[in-house]
Amino acid sequence: MVTYTTRAAIPHAIVFINDPIMIIDVPENTGAGPALSTRNCVTIWTQHEDEGEVELSISDEPPPAALVPAFSGFIEVENGRIAYNNSSAGEILSADVTSGIVPIEIFVDQMPIAEVVFCRVPLTEA
């Protein structure tokens, strides 16, 4: 079991969680809610880069007890990698996962504007 974590200032106050190599379907209106998804992308509202950094984690471990569920479902991954990306498709943090339809859970410290985002997926070794 492993957890990858980083801190980043998030432009436009939204992160995209998806396979960083594949062409994705972004939710039609990312302003419609704090956690939205398509078959291959999950978006999460975060605090804006002007307000400070956001802690982002990808893990196959259970989330810290203080976090609350924001999303639970499945995500399509074609290239065996999942990542947090910013609104310019810039990769922030990534990890190896199995290709195919992957279970995914997202937890945050608070809704609707998260300062901590924790993505739980079944990881594979690089």
Side-chain angles (χ1 to χ4, degrees):
M1 297 187 104
V2 65
T3 299
Y4 301 101
T5 301
T6 193
R7 294 189 65 77
I10 309 298
H12 304 111
I14 189 168
V15 290
F16 298 78
I17 304 165
N18 57 273
D19 178 330
I21 300 171
M22 72 185 279
I23 296 171
I24 60 166
D25 302 314
V26 174
E28 191 172 311
N29 179 2
T30 57
L36 301 172
S37 69
T38 64
R39 66 184 172 82
N40 55 22
C41 179
V42 178
T43 59
I44 302 290
W45 289 353
T46 66
Q47 73 177 358
H48 191 273
E49 64 186 335
D50 293 340
E51 298 167 341
E53 294 183 332
V54 174
E55 180 181 299
L56 304 170
S57 298
I58 301 174
S59 181
D60 54 2
E61 299 178 13
L67 301 184
V68 298
F71 176 83
S72 180
F74 294 88
I75 189 168
E76 181 182 355
V77 178
E78 290 181 356
N79 299 292
R81 202 136 181 88
I82 197 160
Y84 287 99
N85 297 283
N86 64 28
S87 58
S88 298
E91 189 174 309
I92 302 167
L93 177 69
S94 65
D96 294 324
V97 298
T98 305
S99 295
I101 306 300
V102 177
I104 184 170
E105 296 175 287
I106 310 294
F107 299 85
V108 297
D109 62 329
Q110 59 190 358
M111 294 287 274
I113 307 298
E115 295 178 26
V116 176
V117 183
F118 187 97
C119 174
R120 184 179 187 192
V121 292
L123 299 177
T124 62
E125 294 186 21

